[in-house]
Amino acid sequence: MADTLPILPLSAKVTALRGVGPVYATAFQEAGIETLRDLLWSLPYRYVDRGSVRPIGELDRWHNHATDRDLTTVIGTLKAIRQTTTRMQRMALVEAVVEDGTGSLRLVWFNQAYLTRVLRAGDRVLLFGNLALGRHGLEMRGPSVEVLGRGEEGEEDLWVRRFLPLYRKLGPILGRTRGRMVQDVLRRLHPPQDWLPSDLAKGLPSTMDALIRLHQPLDDSDPGDLEAGTTPGHRRLASEELFAFALGVALRRAGRLKRRGLVVPTSEALREKLRAYLPFHLTGAQRTAFKEIVGDLTSGGVMNRLLQGDVGSGKTLVAFLSMAMVAETGGQAALLAPTEVLARQHALTFQRLLGEESPRLQVLLGAMKAAEKRQAQARIASGEAHYVVGTHALFQESVSFDRLQLVVVDEQHRFGVKQREALKGKGGDPHWLVMSATPIPRSLALAVFGDLDQSVLDELPPGRQPITTRLFDPDDAERAWDLVERQLDAGHQAFVVSPAIDPQDETKVPLRDIQAMEGLLRGRFPGVSIAVVHGRLKTDELTLRMQAFVKGEARLLLATTVIEVGVDVPNASVMVVDHAERFGLSQLHQLRGRVGRGTARSHFLMISGSETERLKALVETQDGFRIAQRDLELRGPGEFFGTRQSGLPQFQVADLVRDRALLAKCREAADRTLAHGLSEAQMAWLRQEQARLRLAEIS
Ligand code: ADP
Ligand code: MG
């Protein structure tokens, strides 16, 4: 039968498949599956190793040895299924029995009444879940369930194999239905072309073979590799995605290098001038980074550089020097900060650095009065202002520059490639320096900022006070407050951070909110002036309260993470973070960087009753790059950036953490490929892949 059906290309629509009508088509579309290519690249979410399926008759014995977390798999036939309601809480309760010839097992699900519609007595099912001892003996509670066969239509051909691929249910499309479609497509598919250069493809199966192996794993596949997504088949598809990605980045970069940029004329006089601005000796890392920037600014190309470094490594000074290169040779340079508070702080720093030349600086903030703003804009447009500091928002308004030659973005991860492109319109083709607030692990930096050159500040300025980091159980929090009291008594200031309250996120864990914390602090530290800041305050009010703390009028600052963006208060010597488990490691490390900026020994205290293993990473190291890597491994790229970051590629198979070595290889291969020039066909393939991975357009 299958042999007589037409051969299908990857680009065929899923609607070309038998059985895919409008309802299925919509369900597929909602999951982003329109073509056979989309269908095949949506890999099974699990592979059941039949070798690990347990006979029901042996479960009793096995359960005695298993720990709570051990999940088990059984396969059998459903004997009975019915729905009742629990007496106490009036919840839907679905009960069933499964039999496999060695014994039978009771199954229970709460609040999943729909199961009675999708499961029938007589179904051959695979169950995956936790065993528990109930009133009726051993039972499985809330297992995930897959129907393997019903009546005549079994999965005989799949069933003789060792590994059984499982697919997620998409609306009305059951996993096994999807599986059957995939098998059908694989039999009829016109083998796709292999796009990998031969050096990358070495030792890997062809694309077609990879697809077959991923949807029908060979019996001798390694179960661990299948689970981890590291079989040769996975590597093939991941390499293709990463290669397409790397090639796009390489093309963008090559395009940029061809553009002509302004050449900053250097001279002994300029060097003298810069030296005069410097309040202290640069660290070795600052010197290296600045040299790289000077190299860019004098190269004739357009600078596009990422400056990253640990909290407190002195990025601002490097940014200032770069801006001075331009501003002291007749150009204008602008610094964009992510918040008004931070913009004001940068302006203050610049004022100090510029000394009596500070009138050359112009600040531009959204909160300014209309008249004030107009005046500022006029000074920028006329070229009177050589140094400009403002927030992102302003640069989206109608601000024009006389001769903008350098833009520094204090990034905070909120700026994707697209926004950068949009800003380019502001003044010809200025040089770009992007500063990242926290260290970004290398693989992720390559993924998000791959088209930028990189400078890294991996050294802290001398004289930094060590920060003692400690983790307290909530029952033990009094010891943390004692420490705060001692610091306040010694004349220092203190930060207390409360997690932001997200109404969507009302979990079972009772959360102490910022009001409750304020109450606690006022009771615990009577007579101490406390400033409370959170995201719901108006900008003016927020700035006012923040300034009170910066000036020392408020001794204790209670805040949600708004302070993360970088207040510099050297007199603050202690920070307490409540519910530390709510924060990412990098975020905590960033917060920790707010103390230890003065001459006093400083303390970073976390209060948390859970996830203590994870949080211990902060106690163990102060190295922001190591913490960032750990954070990335634990939470994945999306969460690492805190938001669904624009510009993060949407890989279907590749994983930036798992495949980082592969990415490095693909980048090298991309450079080599580009050196030979791309064929029309390669270019067409690349465009398609870029669209599929939702990468920024290649020009
Ligand atoms: P970050 O990299 O976190 O933005 P900053 O630029 O805010 O760090 O610098 C942190 C602190 O270190 C600032 O108070 C700054 O004045 C100081 N600093 C920067 N460079 C040096 C240096 N070379 N020597 C001494 N202190 C420095
Ligand atoms: Mg900074």
Side-chain angles (χ1 to χ4, degrees):
M1 171 75 173
D3 300 322
T4 63
L5 289 167
I7 298 293
L8 296 167
L10 268 186
S11 57
K13 298 264 188 271
V14 284
T15 44
L17 299 175
R18 200 161 36 115
V20 181
V23 176
Y24 275 21
T26 308
F28 271 133
Q29 203 173 15
E30 275 166 11
I33 297 177
E34 285 183 32
T35 63
L36 298 191
R37 150 142 221 164
D38 301 331
L39 181 72
L40 292 177
W41 262 253
S42 309
L43 298 182
Y45 72 90
R46 240 192 96 212
Y47 298 92
V48 178
D49 182 352
R50 287 186 60 209
S52 72
V53 173
R54 289 177 198 285
I56 292 173
E58 286 179 16
L59 287 182
D60 263 322
R61 192 153 46 91
W62 184 73
H63 178 64
N64 288 336
H65 302 284
T67 67
D68 275 355
R69 269 168 297 140
D70 283 337
L71 293 164
T72 187
T73 307
V74 300
I75 286 174
T77 306
L78 273 189
K79 279 300 154 198
I81 178 158
R82 64 178 189 130
Q83 187 195 328
T84 56
T85 306
T86 58
R87 229 169 308 148
M88 300 293 282
Q89 283 148 316
R90 319 208 112 268
M91 267 195 295
L93 174 72
V94 175
E95 293 173 296
V97 174
V98 63
E99 249 179 40
D100 71 350
T102 69
S104 64
L105 179 68
R106 190 176 119 93
L107 312 167
V108 286
W109 291 273
F110 292 101
N111 268 341
Q112 299 194 50
Y114 78 95
L115 284 172
T116 53
R117 288 191 303 271
V118 290
L119 299 177
R120 279 186 223 155
D123 282 352
R124 190 161 172 70
V125 291
L126 179 144
L127 299 149
F128 178 68
N130 280 114
L131 292 174
L133 209 52
R135 264 191 299 139
H136 311 281
L138 209 55
E139 61 189 26
M140 220 179 212
R141 290 187 191 156
S144 52
V145 56
E146 289 288 330
V147 178
L148 302 176
R150 168 168 297 166
E152 290 304 294
E153 44 158 321
E155 304 283 284
E156 293 314 324
D157 50 342
L158 267 182
W159 197 234
V160 296
R161 296 174 194 279
R162 174 177 168 198
F163 293 102
L164 181 69
L166 299 185
Y167 299 84
R168 288 207 189 288
K169 177 173 173 296
L170 300 176
I173 313 173
L174 298 180
R176 75 192 160 107
T177 312
R178 251 179 92 182
R180 253 207 312 279
M181 282 180 193
V182 168
Q183 300 303 327
D184 178 40
V185 170
L186 285 176
R187 276 191 294 268
R188 297 162 58 198
L189 190 68
H190 186 277
Q193 190 169 346
D194 291 329
W195 290 104
L196 280 189
S198 53
D199 45 345
L200 275 183
K202 213 181 293 159
L204 297 180
S206 69
T207 308
M208 186 69 199
D209 277 346
L211 288 170
I212 293 174
R213 289 191 198 183
L214 292 173
H215 291 288
Q216 325 172 332
L218 300 174
D219 286 356
D220 63 359
S221 306
D222 183 311
D225 281 346
L226 271 175
E227 196 65 28
T230 51
T231 64
H234 283 103
R235 276 216 303 283
R236 169 86 206 190
L237 298 194
S239 299
E240 284 182 354
E241 288 183 338
L242 293 169
F243 178 64
F245 167 68
L247 202 52
V249 168
L251 266 178
R252 248 203 324 270
R253 184 159 184 272
R256 161 165 65 81
L257 291 180
K258 263 191 256 143
R259 299 207 310 265
R260 306 310 310 155
L262 169 103
V263 180
V264 174
T266 52
S267 63
E268 190 46 46
L270 175 64
R271 273 187 285 275
E272 263 314 306
K273 185 95 207 193
L274 297 192
R275 228 172 278 138
Y277 281 139
L278 276 184
F280 18 57
H281 291 295
L282 293 182
T283 64
Q286 282 173 321
R287 194 167 302 135
T288 307
F290 184 53
K291 265 201 194 121
E292 289 164 346
I293 291 166
V294 172
D296 291 344
L297 295 178
T298 55
S299 71
V302 179
M303 174 165 79
N304 244 297
R305 186 170 285 280
L306 172 68
L307 175 64
Q308 57 160 331
D310 212 337
V311 199
S313 58
K315 293 181 284 281
T316 315
L317 191 57
V318 175
F320 173 78
L321 284 176
S322 314
M323 289 170 73
M325 282 283 288
V326 164
E328 301 300 329
T329 52
Q332 286 177 297
L335 172 67
L336 276 76
T339 64
E340 303 238 334
V341 174
L342 200 52
R344 274 177 213 275
Q345 186 170 304
H346 280 317
L348 211 65
T349 306
F350 278 31
Q351 249 161 31
R352 282 198 209 110
L353 288 165
L354 285 167
E356 57 189 25
E357 298 195 40
S358 59
R360 294 167 63 195
L361 171 74
Q362 181 60 56
V363 187
L364 192 50
L365 301 169
M368 279 179 162
K369 299 232 164 54
E372 213 183 351
K373 206 186 269 182
R374 260 199 309 280
Q375 202 186 13
Q377 285 172 344
R379 271 172 44 86
I380 294 168
S382 72
E384 240 177 293
H386 300 155
Y387 297 82
V388 178
V389 174
T391 45
H392 290 152
L394 280 157
F395 287 75
Q396 281 141 21
E397 286 173 28
S398 55
V399 179
S400 65
F401 285 81
D402 180 38
R403 43 187 200 286
L404 179 64
Q405 293 172 355
L406 168 66
V407 179
V408 180
V409 184
D410 198 347
E411 174 105 25
Q412 314 283 356
H413 310 317
R414 287 183 205 176
F415 239 45
V417 177
K418 289 215 181 80
Q419 289 96 317
R420 282 206 294 275
E421 298 287 312
L423 274 168
K424 217 155 56 187
K426 286 286 172 198
D429 205 354
H431 296 287
W432 282 85
L433 183 66
V434 177
M435 294 198 286
S436 125
T438 49
I440 306 172
R442 200 174 155 68
S443 60
L444 211 52
L446 286 178
V448 181
F449 303 100
D451 55 332
L452 306 187
D453 297 315
Q454 294 208 30
S455 294
V456 174
L457 299 185
D458 51 5
E459 182 186 346
L460 295 183
R464 278 294 147 81
Q465 290 305 309
I467 302 170
T468 314
T469 299
R470 295 172 69 184
L471 183 58
F472 293 96
D473 189 84
D475 292 338
D476 221 12
E478 193 44 38
R479 284 168 55 207
W481 302 126
D482 283 346
L483 223 151
V484 171
E485 187 169 25
R486 281 201 295 280
Q487 296 299 311
L488 291 172
D489 285 347
H492 295 301
Q493 286 163 279
F495 294 103
V496 176
V497 180
S498 251
I501 293 148
D502 176 359
Q504 303 246 294
D505 198 25
E506 292 286 330
T507 48
K508 323 103 224 161
V509 186
L511 196 68
R512 174 160 53 196
D513 63 16
I514 192 164
Q515 279 94 357
M517 180 56 92
E518 185 180 352
L520 184 151
L521 294 177
R522 295 209 187 276
R524 182 69 178 72
F525 305 107
V528 172
S529 56
I530 302 177
V532 184
V533 297
H534 50 76
R536 265 168 269 165
L537 291 177
K538 292 234 165 59
T539 311
D540 287 357
E541 183 60 26
L542 179 86
T543 309
L544 217 65
R545 294 185 186 187
M546 217 62 162
Q547 286 313 111
F549 185 69
V550 171
K551 287 187 209 141
E553 293 157 12
R555 305 276 317 288
L556 205 156
L557 182 73
L558 168 60
T560 54
T561 42
V562 280
I563 58 162
E564 189 188 346
V565 292
V567 282
D568 199 8
V569 182
N571 187 39
S573 62
V574 59
M575 177 182 288
V576 180
V577 179
D578 195 25
H579 289 292
E581 74 279 357
R582 287 284 175 131
F583 298 88
L585 293 180
S586 285
Q587 207 180 359
L588 288 166
H589 178 67
Q590 173 79 2
L591 286 169
R592 175 164 62 183
R594 300 298 119 210
V595 293
R597 295 187 159 226
T599 49
R601 178 174 192 92
S602 295
H603 305 268
F604 182 68
L605 313 175
M606 296 178 283
I607 301 179
S608 177
S610 59
E611 296 186 42
T612 44
E613 269 318 302
R614 180 172 74 92
L615 296 174
K616 266 185 201 147
L618 281 159
V619 180
E620 280 154 16
T621 180
Q622 306 255 355
D623 179 338
F625 282 92
R626 277 176 56 191
I627 289 168
Q629 179 61 37
R630 184 111 184 84
D631 199 23
L632 174 63
E633 283 161 15
L634 289 172
R635 302 195 306 157
E639 289 294 307
F640 179 86
F641 282 118
T643 53
R644 298 254 154 257
Q645 151 88 1
S646 46
L648 207 58
Q650 307 279 307
F651 297 121
Q652 274 184 285
V653 180
D655 177 309
L656 287 171
V657 178
R658 181 189 66 205
D659 299 323
R660 54 179 191 268
L662 220 48
L663 175 59
K665 267 171 72 177
C666 287
R667 281 179 63 93
E668 287 164 21
D671 286 340
R672 281 195 299 275
T673 305
L674 207 58
H676 292 135
L678 293 187
S679 67
E680 293 269 324
Q682 275 175 315
M683 207 53 204
W685 167 75
L686 185 58
R687 286 229 167 76
Q688 220 172 27
E689 285 298 279
Q690 304 267 301
R692 194 172 73 86
L693 302 174
R694 276 180 246 148
L695 301 171
E697 299 245 321
I698 38 174
S699 30

